[in-house]
Amino acid sequence: MRIPAITDLHIKQFSGGGIIKMSSYAKNAVYDKYPDSGNWYATQRPGINVFEDASAAVSDAKGRGVYYWNKVGKKYFVNNATVYQTSYSGSTMSITAGTERVYIFELGNYLIILDPENNEGWVINSSSPTVIAAISDADFPPNAGKTLAKGGAVINSKLFVGDTLGNINESSVSDPTAWNALSVRNAEVQPDGGVYIGEHHQHVVALGNRTLEFFYDDANPTGSSLSPRTDIDFSVGAVNLHSFWEEADLTFWVGNTASGGVSVYSLQNFIPTKISTNNIDTFLGSAITIDSVLLNGSGFQVGGRTYYVLTLYFLSTTIAPTVTLVYELTSDRWYLWGLEQSGIDDFPVMNWTKATSTRLGEGILSNGDLITPADDNSPQDTIGASTVFETGVFEDGVFSSTGFSGANINMQLVTGPQDFGNRKRKFQSEIWPVGTPTDTSTTLSIEVSDESDDTWQAARSVDVGGSDDRLRRCGKFRQRNYRLTYADSEQYRIEGLETIERQGTA
């Protein structure tokens, strides 16, 4: 009997915004298909390199945003009240202290930092790339008594920001320091306030508490340049938290409907699609409405895959993550991810830069660590790796890393309870993994839990390095769950477990 390693995340018990028990899940794993056979397999997630350990440089542990500004060829990132250029040892600028995410854009000669937590906006001019100034125009929404919504969008050389009243405000062309009180468009479908402003296929997308609307630049001679798309709008809104992430023309967020149902959505080609399972919806709805858990959404692309990273957390003096859920677009599956090396149990990514042809994207964690993915099939999280690019030697986006310390990624798979079609007693004589053998002798740990998912028997190991190793004399059960653990420095691809069992009469 074949038991697939590919399964859905299924949460059995949760409390206080955290997950207590799960009957099936994949942790620190990704799913993919063999190109020839089309068979699905699980393997370790991409490695993550912490290339700047914030704790070694500063006392702050409040990473809030990161952006690579192509115009000046420098990276800018925010930790608490400080904007850093290039690195923690680089030039610094001061803004208002905070913990929550900031939203960063570039327009003309300016880099813009929007801070909804403090209801402020800041700009850096490329002519003075280490000097920051508050946006002081009286018609900039916070200066006009309005409260910034999340997000923002740059379209046709104008910055569009939302306010919580449901208005879309726009800057002057190529100048985010200049605003006009008449250049305002109200989101019109329902009076449900403003939660988020983003960009989708050169349209401004406006999310309220219960609605999603689109606007386009109509070059109106007076007032707002925006006109609404009257042919499309949706009765799906957004939870007023930082769950949003945009990747090219994709948008991910945690939304709700008029009746209060909470789900995770993606926006593709002007159509919102629910991507969370009902089980995840139940968990998120309870965590948000009962436990007052906060959310941060981010993500990245690596190895041809798009990952949406959703961290649940509580906020005191710093962010305290409860769990990180990761959605992968191609497989349409959810995972749990945690880091092995950074001193933080979960994977709380606050923001991510955009990649270029010669550099990968970079992220910032809630503790201020700067990270980058390692698209090298080496299943390790690292600290201190140096990333090397050489024009004409490596393909675009491919890199080598040197001078690091690494920790193997601990992949764990729980298949979900199996009764093989009935509740009669079974006597299992053999279990062995089905997958691509590793080049060297490495081991896969197998545990079983009978009848419930709460009591795991002592782990037993099998060699997956090409031998015909298998477990024998595996006991009796009516229903059995399987937990597989692999944590070696060589990547292993597993399709599932093969079992031999004899069925009893009762």
Side-chain angles (χ1 to χ4, degrees):
M1 179 72 70
R2 175 71 60 87
I3 302 170
I6 313 303
T7 187
D8 286 320
L9 169 63
H10 193 275
I11 302 166
K12 285 181 62 178
Q13 186 178 346
F14 51 82
S15 179
I19 298 173
I20 298 175
K21 294 178 183 178
M22 297 169 286
S23 59
S24 60
Y25 63 88
K27 183 174 183 180
N28 286 335
V30 294
Y31 300 147
D32 205 348
K33 289 194 292 188
Y34 293 111
D36 296 330
S37 66
N39 293 340
W40 283 95
Y41 63 83
T43 192
Q44 288 138 298
R45 62 162 172 79
I48 299 296
N49 174 43
V50 178
F51 67 90
E52 282 234 32
D53 183 355
S55 65
V58 296
S59 59
D60 285 331
K62 300 177 180 178
R64 305 177 66 195
V66 61
Y67 191 90
Y68 186 82
W69 193 6
N70 278 306
K71 192 174 188 68
V72 300
K74 303 285 186 180
K75 176 171 67 266
Y76 290 75
F77 58 95
V78 182
N79 188 340
N80 194 8
T82 305
V83 181
Y84 295 86
Q85 185 196 70
T86 304
S87 69
Y88 277 112
S89 59
S91 299
T92 61
M93 294 152 275
S94 296
I95 61 173
T96 303
T99 306
E100 296 182 3
R101 176 181 176 180
V102 296
Y103 296 84
I104 307 177
F105 307 90
E106 60 180 293
L107 174 63
N109 293 322
Y110 293 93
L111 187 73
I112 307 138
I113 299 175
L114 299 179
D115 181 3
E117 179 181 3
N118 293 299
N119 198 34
E120 294 174 333
W122 303 83
V123 292
I124 302 170
N125 194 305
S126 59
S127 63
S128 302
T130 59
V131 177
I132 196 166
I135 300 176
S136 58
D137 190 296
D139 294 320
F140 180 57
N143 302 333
K146 302 173 184 177
T147 301
L148 284 174
K150 311 299 191 295
V154 173
I155 298 174
N156 291 347
S157 300
K158 287 168 285 190
L159 172 66
F160 296 90
V161 302
D163 63 52
T164 56
L165 297 175
N167 299 309
I168 306 171
N169 310 263
E170 66 185 80
S171 74
S172 296
V173 174
S174 300
D175 188 356
T177 69
W179 300 75
N180 188 318
L182 300 179
S183 298
V184 177
R185 162 68 69 178
N186 185 259
E188 301 165 320
V189 173
Q190 289 186 25
D192 61 336
V195 176
Y196 176 77
I197 293 294
E199 188 272 330
H200 188 70
H201 290 290
Q202 287 295 299
H203 285 61
V204 172
V205 56
L207 277 157
N209 290 300
R210 300 184 303 277
T211 59
L212 186 159
E213 302 173 64
F214 300 95
F215 298 83
Y216 65 99
D217 191 339
D218 202 17
N220 298 316
T222 59
S224 172
S225 64
L226 297 178
S227 292
R229 284 284 301 269
T230 58
D231 56 328
I232 46 174
D233 60 75
F234 297 93
S235 297
V236 173
V239 174
N240 193 11
L241 298 167
H242 295 273
S243 66
F244 310 95
W245 179 58
E246 292 183 13
E247 170 62 32
D249 286 314
L250 287 168
T251 301
F252 299 88
W253 79 99
V254 176
N256 53 9
T257 59
S259 61
V262 175
S263 300
V264 187
Y265 293 87
S266 69
L267 181 65
Q268 301 183 57
N269 297 320
F270 298 96
I271 302 295
T273 302
K274 179 177 175 294
I275 59 173
S276 52
T277 65
N278 295 340
N279 182 251
I280 291 175
D281 293 348
T282 299
F283 167 58
L284 289 177
S286 175
I288 294 167
T289 59
I290 297 175
D291 300 309
S292 300
V293 166
L294 303 174
L295 304 173
N296 193 82
S298 189
F300 59 95
Q301 282 194 345
V302 64
R305 302 184 185 95
T306 298
Y307 299 97
Y308 171 58
V309 181
L310 180 64
T311 295
L312 285 71
Y313 66 93
F314 290 107
L315 182 62
S316 54
T317 55
T318 59
I319 282 177
T322 62
V323 68
T324 293
L325 306 176
V326 176
Y327 173 78
E328 197 274 307
L329 185 64
T330 302
S331 64
D332 189 27
R333 301 278 182 161
W334 288 88
Y335 312 94
L336 302 174
W337 282 15
L339 292 174
E340 308 288 354
Q341 189 64 291
S342 73
I344 189 165
D345 291 336
D346 294 290
F347 187 48
V349 181
M350 298 301 289
N351 207 347
W352 204 271
T353 68
K354 305 298 183 184
T356 69
S357 62
T358 56
R359 54 182 301 282
L360 290 171
E362 299 154 340
I364 189 167
L365 301 181
S366 63
N367 66 355
D369 287 352
L370 296 174
I371 62 173
T372 191
D375 189 15
D376 57 3
N377 294 328
S378 176
Q380 288 192 325
D381 287 342
T382 57
I383 289 183
S386 60
T387 302
V388 181
F389 295 93
E390 295 183 39
T391 304
V393 177
F394 296 107
E395 295 180 7
D396 287 349
V398 180
F399 67 95
S400 66
S401 296
T402 58
F404 61 85
S405 61
N408 295 343
I409 294 172
N410 190 337
M411 174 177 69
Q412 194 168 85
L413 308 168
V414 173
T415 65
Q418 313 287 324
D419 64 6
F420 303 100
N422 61 72
R423 288 306 175 100
K424 293 182 179 180
R425 194 176 299 279
K426 294 94 178 170
F427 301 86
Q428 201 158 61
S429 58
E430 296 185 28
I431 305 173
W432 67 96
V434 178
T436 301
T438 55
D439 293 333
T440 59
S441 177
T442 62
T443 58
L444 174 76
S445 169
I446 301 177
E447 301 165 84
V448 298
S449 178
D450 294 341
E451 315 317 332
S452 72
D453 306 311
D454 304 330
T455 304
W456 295 94
Q457 299 176 21
R460 300 168 67 184
S461 296
V462 293
D463 190 336
V464 295
S467 65
D468 190 26
D469 198 11
R470 59 186 66 193
L471 304 183
R472 293 179 171 84
R473 301 180 65 181
C474 301
K476 59 185 178 181
F477 62 94
R478 296 184 187 276
Q479 174 179 278
R480 172 168 282 183
N481 205 344
Y482 301 82
R483 184 162 65 189
L484 317 177
T485 303
Y486 181 82
D488 203 274
S489 59
E490 184 178 352
Q491 199 165 42
Y492 175 55
R493 297 172 177 85
I494 179 169
E495 298 175 43
L497 293 176
E498 200 75 35
T499 68
I500 297 176
E501 57 275 330
R502 175 175 57 86
Q503 183 172 293
T505 58

